[in-house]
C-alpha cells in the first residue's frame, strides 16, 4: 500500500519530514533530544521539528527557552502523550511523520534509515536501545529495563505493533488510520488499527533510538500502573474480559521462571551483581503487576 510520497527516489526528491516530540516537564532531556535531532544526516531544510508541550508546570517560557531556534513549539492542553502527538500532527507540514519522545536520543542516521525503510513498507518501527547510568552498578530497575524494556523487534514482528518512541508513517496513511486514542495503550491500539486497515508494518534495525532506563522502583511501578490500566481499557470491561485479564495476572509468577534465563544471556549487563539486580527487578515487577492487575480488573465498574 505504498504511495509516492512515502518512497523518495533520490536525494533530489527527499520528502519533508515532520519530527513530532511530545513533552511534559523534562526540559534537560528534551534539550538533549533536540541536540540529536539537529545532528541528523537528513538535510535540515527537508525536516521540521515540532515539540508538542503538554502544559508543563514550569511554564511556556521555560519550554520556549529550550526549543527556541531548534523546534516549533505548540501547546497540547489535553493531558497525555497521545493528544500531544495528535496536536503535533495537526500543525505538521511534512509528507512523512517521524515520532519520538522527549527523553529519547535518536541516532544521527535515524531519519535517513527510517525514511529509506518506508520504500518497502507502509509503516516502520525502529530499534530501541536502553541506556543506564555510567560509573556505578545498575539499580534493580535499571538492570530489569536493560534486559526487558523496549524489545521493538519482537513488538513489530511478533505482536504487530511499534512503540511510538520510534515510528515512521506517511502523513497520508496517518490521516486514513486516524489519531492516537486516549486512555488506552495508544501504540498497540493504533498499530492494530492500522494493520486492520491493510497497512504493512516493518521493523528497521538501522533506525535506532536510545531511551534511558528507569532508575527506581517508583518510576518502574508508575510505568506499569499506566500500562496495566491502558491495556485493560483496550476492551470493554465485561465479565469475560475481567476473567481473562485476571488469568493473565496469575501467570505472572510463572513468567519469572520462564524469562529469568534472558538475564544471564543479556550482553547489556556488566557483572553478576547487575544480573542479580535484574532478577530482583523481574520478580518485583511481575509480582507487583499480578497484584495491581487485580486492582484494575476488580475496581472497574460497567
Amino acid at each position: 500500500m505504498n504511495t509516492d510520497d512515502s518512497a523518495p527516489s533520490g536525494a533530489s526528491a527527499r520528502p519533508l519530514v515532520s519530527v513530532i516530540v511530545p513533552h511534559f516537564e523534562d526540559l534537560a532531556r528534551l534539550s538533549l533530544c533536540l541536540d540529536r535531532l539537529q545532528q541528523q544526516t537528513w538535510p535540515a531544510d527537508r525536516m521540521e521539528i515540532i515539540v508538542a508541550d503538554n502544559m508543563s508546570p514550569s511554564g511556556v517560557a521555560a519550554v520556549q527557552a529550550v526549543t527556541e531556534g531548534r523546534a516549533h513549539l505548540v501547546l497540547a492542553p489535553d493531558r497525555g502523550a497521545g493528544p500531544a502527538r495528535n496536536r503535533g500532527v495537526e500543525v505538521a507540514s511534512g509528507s512523512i511523520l517521524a515520532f519520538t519522545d522527549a527523553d529519547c536520543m535518536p541516532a544521527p542516521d535515524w531519519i535517513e534509515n527510517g525514511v529509506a525503510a518506508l520504500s518497502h513498507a507502509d509503516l516502520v518501527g525502529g530499534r530501541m536501545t536502553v541506556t543506564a547510568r555510567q560509573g556505578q552498578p545498575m539499580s534493580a530497575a535499571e538492570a530489569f529495563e536493560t534486559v526487558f524494556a523496549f524489545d521493538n523487534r519482537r513488538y513489530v514482528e511478533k505482536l504487530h505493533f511499534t512503540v511510538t518512541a520510534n515510528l515512521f508513517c506517511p502523513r497520508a496513511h496517518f490521516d486514513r488510520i486516524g489519531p492516537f486514542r486516549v486512555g488506552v495503550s495508544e501504540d498497540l491500539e493504533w498499530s492494530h488499527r492500522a494493520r486492520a486497515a491493510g497497512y504493512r508494518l516493518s521493523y528497521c534495525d538501522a533506525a535506532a533510538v536510545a531511551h534511558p532506563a528507569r532508575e527506581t522502583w517508583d518510576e518502574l511501578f508508575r510505568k506499569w500502573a499506566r500500562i496495566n490500566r491502558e491495556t485493560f481499557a483496550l476492551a470493554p470491561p465485561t465479565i469475560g474480559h475481567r476473567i481473562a485479564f485476571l488469568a493473565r495476572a496469575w501467570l505472572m509468577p510463572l513468567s519469572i521462571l520462564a524469562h529469568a534465563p534472558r538475564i544471564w544471556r543479556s550482553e547489556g549487563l556488566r557483572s553478576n551483581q547487575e544480573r542479580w539486580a535484574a532478577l530482583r527487578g523481574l520478580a518485583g515487577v511481575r509480582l507487583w503487576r499480578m497484584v495491581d492487575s487485580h486492582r484494575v480488573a476488580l475496581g472497574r465498574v460497567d
Side-chain angles (χ1 to χ4, degrees):
M1 191 179 278
N2 289 308
T3 62
D4 292 342
D5 64 353
S6 67
S9 59
S12 62
R14 289 176 185 257
L16 178 65
V17 177
S18 296
V19 182
I20 297 172
V21 185
H23 170 260
F24 180 77
E25 200 62 21
D26 198 354
L27 296 174
R29 284 177 171 163
L30 173 63
S31 184
L32 293 174
C33 178
L34 295 179
D35 285 344
R36 287 298 187 94
L37 290 173
Q38 289 187 303
Q39 297 165 9
Q40 292 292 302
T41 58
W42 193 259
D45 63 349
R46 301 307 300 157
M47 64 181 288
E48 63 175 2
I49 304 170
I50 300 169
V51 173
D53 184 65
N54 228 181
M55 311 307 290
S56 295
S58 56
V60 176
V63 183
Q64 283 179 327
V66 174
T67 59
E68 190 70 34
R70 297 197 284 176
H72 175 45
L73 175 64
V74 296
L75 301 182
D78 295 331
R79 184 59 59 87
R85 291 187 183 94
N86 294 336
R87 177 70 180 114
V89 172
E90 288 176 5
V91 302
S93 303
S95 61
I96 291 180
L97 306 175
F99 295 91
T100 191
D101 288 345
D103 56 356
C104 286
M105 303 278 280
D109 55 359
W110 174 61
I111 294 177
E112 190 91 38
N113 291 327
V115 172
L118 285 174
S119 64
H120 54 77
D122 299 313
L123 313 170
V124 168
R127 175 164 57 97
M128 296 294 298
T129 61
V130 178
T131 59
R133 294 171 296 177
Q134 299 298 308
Q136 57 185 302
M138 295 183 194
S139 66
E142 286 177 304
F144 169 79
E145 290 233 308
T146 295
V147 178
F148 295 102
F150 296 108
D151 187 357
N152 210 36
R153 178 190 290 274
R154 175 176 172 269
Y155 300 161
V156 171
E157 296 180 350
K158 303 295 185 183
L159 304 180
H160 309 298
F161 80 96
T162 177
V163 295
T164 39
N166 195 344
L167 165 64
F168 289 84
C169 176
R171 174 62 185 267
H173 294 357
F174 187 92
D175 288 343
R176 296 187 192 104
I177 296 164
F180 296 104
R181 282 182 55 193
V182 181
V184 299
S185 294
E186 64 195 46
D187 46 9
L188 181 65
E189 190 278 334
W190 187 89
S191 296
H192 286 182
R193 185 163 18 113
R195 187 166 183 256
Y199 292 97
R200 293 176 294 117
L201 173 63
S202 177
Y203 176 75
C204 179
D205 196 69
V209 166
H211 189 287
R214 287 162 180 82
E215 299 173 4
T216 67
W217 285 112
D218 182 62
E219 291 175 321
L220 210 51
F221 292 159
R222 279 192 282 113
K223 167 189 173 179
W224 282 105
R226 172 179 56 80
I227 292 175
N228 272 354
R229 281 147 185 78
E230 291 177 347
T231 301
F232 185 80
L234 285 171
T238 61
I239 294 297
H241 178 48
R242 294 180 201 273
I243 292 173
F245 195 78
L246 290 172
R248 286 191 294 271
W250 278 99
L251 292 176
M252 289 293 172
L254 293 178
S255 74
I256 299 171
L257 297 175
H259 293 160
R262 288 179 57 183
I263 293 172
W264 269 263
R265 294 195 302 264
S266 173
E267 297 179 357
L269 302 177
R270 300 166 296 206
S271 66
N272 285 334
Q273 179 182 354
E274 291 183 345
R275 293 183 180 90
W276 284 110
L279 185 60
R280 291 197 306 275
L282 173 63
V285 167
R286 298 294 165 82
L287 294 175
W288 185 91
R289 285 178 62 189
M290 181 180 71
V291 174
D292 187 66
S293 294
H294 284 72
R295 287 195 289 261
V296 172
L298 301 178
R300 292 288 294 266
V301 294
D302 293 335

